[in-house]
Each structure stands twice: as structure tokens, then as C-alpha cells.
Amino acid sequence: MKLSGKAALITGAASGIGLGIAHRFASEGASVVIADIDARAASRAASEIEQAGGHAIGLRMDVTDEAEVEHGIGRAIAHCARLDILVSNAGIQIVSPLDTFAFADWKRLLAIHLDGAFLTTRAVLRHMKADGRGGTIIYMGSVHSHEASALKSAYVTAKHGLLGLARTLAKEGAEHHVRSHVICPGFVRTPLVERQIPEQARTLGITEDEVVRDVMLGGTVDASFTTVEDIAQTALFLAAFPSAALTGQSIVASHGWFMQ
Ligand code: NAD
């Protein structure tokens, strides 16, 4: 068990990639805190992990709300008596041409991805410094941390921004044994992506099959979606890595869509 005795908080873990990471971490012995704006889904996910023999709690956390983040991370530490790993994963997608992008949508997307990453990092870092054991903070970036796509201006901006936060944390956290990483997945067939298929077909004037084949998988080497398990394994590798050799780095997992 690679995470035996550790505790991990994962934001946006009631669905998709975060949920997959929660299951993988729990099966490797970690106590898992599922923090999500959807409190009911978070509790359901935690119960599933408990039924499978793992340790998990679910709690409501809107990552854009400073008080909820502080309160939720406090509860998590009180429950687990420690916190070793943060996966800042909560995210949304809004697809629109730049010249008609609503300002409210721009601000909402940046708040979830960037304010959320900042607020959770700040709260967890304070704990990791005081605790003296340090820990690992993983951000869910994207191929869009390195590459742009049309219609995704806010998302591409936010995902590029996470690289800056992770690199700064690598420098500030080092003396406290706190490491940072960014995982950059290609397209993973989660609810976030399922919603984009009809939206992109409408905006680009092509069929849904063409969106999948040409837009989403056209750049991969094997016409394959990245899987939730691909990303969960990458997160496990980083969370269990024995030294700070990889701190500040982003790891792209995209079936060859983007190669660094
Ligand atoms: P998803 O829609 O399946 O899950 C996202 C989760 O985030 C949901 O449970 C949702 O309730 C939660 N959430 C939304 N707003 C929140 C908030 N304010 N506070 C707390 N939780 C909130 O999406 P996913 O595909 O699993 O995406 C997870 C992360 O992975 C996102 O950051 C996304 O940008 C990133 N990502 C996804 C893909 C992909 O192809 N699916 C690719 C690259 C990166």
C-alpha cells in the first residue's frame, strides 16, 4: 500500500477524475476527504469507498468561498488528525468564442480554477508548515496548461496560471518539505467532456462524431481518450514519490496529443 497512513483531500472529487483519484488513493491505504460543492454526491462517493473497505468522508466545499475552504480543511484535519496530500482538482469548462465570452462566465471559471487552487493551497500549506511533516500538493492542469484551443480562452488562461502557482509553491514550500506538481490530462470522458461534445458540434458546425474524432482525439497517437485511471495512476505516482526531484513540474498524460 503506497499511501498507508496518509490523508488526502481532493476537491471536485464527487465526479470524474477526482472521484477516480479518491478511489485509487483509498485502495492504496490513504484516508480520503472528498470535498465538493455537491455535498450529497460527496457523501455518496465517500460511502462507496467505505463500503469497498477504505476510509473516506465527504464534505461540502465551494472552493471559491474562503470561509468554506478554511472550515472544510479544518474539518478534514480534525477528522484525519493529519493532511499529507491536496489534489486541487475542482473545475468547470465554458466554451465560447472570445468576442462573445460573457464577463460573468470568465470570472466564474477563473474563480473555480485559480481562486480555488489558491485558497486550498494556502489553507493546506499553513497546516503542512505547522505540522512539520510537509506534503504534496497536486493541481489538475490540462494539455491546455501548455497549448491553446479555440473557444476555451478562460480555461486555457486558468490552466496556464496553475503552472505559475505550482512553480512558486515549489520554491516557497521546499524548506517545509512541501512539493507541488501539475497533472496535465488530455481529453478524459467525464461529465465535463460529455457536455462539451454537443456544444462544440453546434459552435463549430460539425457532427458530434467529428468533434470526438477530429477535435478531441485528432492529435493523439492512438485515437484514444485518456482515462480516469491513467490520471489516478499518475496522481498516485506523484503522491508516493520518495523525493522532491519532481517538484514544480507538470506531467502531461495525453496519449501523445501534447509532447513536452
Ligand atoms: P467533472 O465535471 O466530472 O467533475 C468536476 C467536479 O468539480 C464536480 O464534482 C463538481 O461538482 C465539482 N465542482 C465544480 N465547481 C466546484 C466548486 N466551486 N467547488 C468545489 N467543487 C466544484 O469534471 P472532470 O473532467 O473530472 O474535471 C476535473 C478536473 O480535471 C478539472 O479541473 C478539469 O479542468 C480537469 N481536466 C479534465 C479533463 C477532461 O478531459 N475531463 C482534461 C484535462 C483536465
Side-chain angles (χ1 to χ4, degrees):
M1 302 258 262
K2 294 184 179 139
L3 299 179
S4 184
K6 306 267 185 186
L9 184 141
I10 305 160
T11 68
S15 171
I17 292 173
L19 181 61
I21 293 173
H23 276 276
R24 172 57 49 212
F25 280 13
S27 71
E28 292 289 342
S31 295
V32 172
V33 180
I34 296 184
D36 203 286
I37 197 166
D38 185 339
R40 207 177 301 162
S43 303
R44 214 170 31 238
S47 306
E48 277 172 24
I49 289 175
E50 291 269 323
Q51 276 158 22
H55 297 297
I57 57 162
L59 52 84
R60 182 193 145 86
M61 183 191 289
D62 176 351
V63 296
T64 69
D65 183 315
E66 184 176 11
E68 272 193 36
V69 169
E70 293 287 330
H71 178 71
I73 286 172
R75 264 188 68 196
I77 292 164
H79 181 83
C80 302
R82 58 188 295 156
L83 196 54
D84 308 276
I85 302 158
L86 164 68
V87 184
S88 170
N89 165 79
I92 61 165
Q93 177 61 278
I94 299 173
V95 177
S96 167
L98 247 175
D99 58 347
T100 54
F101 213 109
F103 188 35
D105 286 344
W106 171 270
K107 285 194 278 196
R108 186 161 68 94
L109 191 146
L110 291 189
I112 295 172
H113 289 265
L114 291 181
D115 297 358
F118 162 70
L119 290 171
T120 51
T121 297
R122 191 181 63 175
V124 168
L125 180 60
R126 283 178 184 150
H127 162 75
M128 286 177 174
K129 278 172 79 165
D131 168 86
R133 274 191 291 244
T136 303
I137 297 183
I138 297 173
Y139 301 98
M140 199 51 62
S142 164
V143 162
H144 289 112
S145 298
H146 296 281
E147 180 78 273
S149 288
L151 311 179
K152 295 187 177 174
S153 53
Y155 189 82
V156 170
T157 303
K159 292 303 191 189
H160 275 64
L162 291 176
L163 297 179
L165 179 60
R167 289 171 184 158
T168 307
L169 175 61
K171 295 198 171 185
E172 288 191 26
E175 66 178 297
H176 307 286
H177 312 291
V178 176
R179 304 173 197 162
S180 69
H181 310 287
V182 185
I183 300 177
C184 299
F187 282 102
V188 183
R189 208 147 184 178
T190 64
L192 179 142
V193 159
E194 292 295 346
R195 280 190 292 273
Q196 282 176 58
I197 297 172
E199 281 171 17
Q200 293 223 19
R202 259 194 316 278
T203 318
L204 297 170
I206 56 179
T207 67
E208 294 191 12
D209 285 347
E210 285 166 339
V211 170
V212 170
R213 194 192 61 214
D214 302 333
V215 179
M216 296 187 164
L217 304 181
T220 65
V221 296
D222 54 4
S224 295
F225 278 99
T226 302
T227 65
V228 167
E229 188 53 21
D230 287 334
I231 303 309
Q233 288 289 355
T234 307
L236 174 62
F237 168 76
L238 292 170
F241 199 78
S243 80
L246 298 174
T247 195
Q249 294 293 344
S250 67
I251 313 286
V252 180
S254 70
H255 288 246
W257 170 19
F258 182 85
M259 301 188 205
Q260 281 176 312

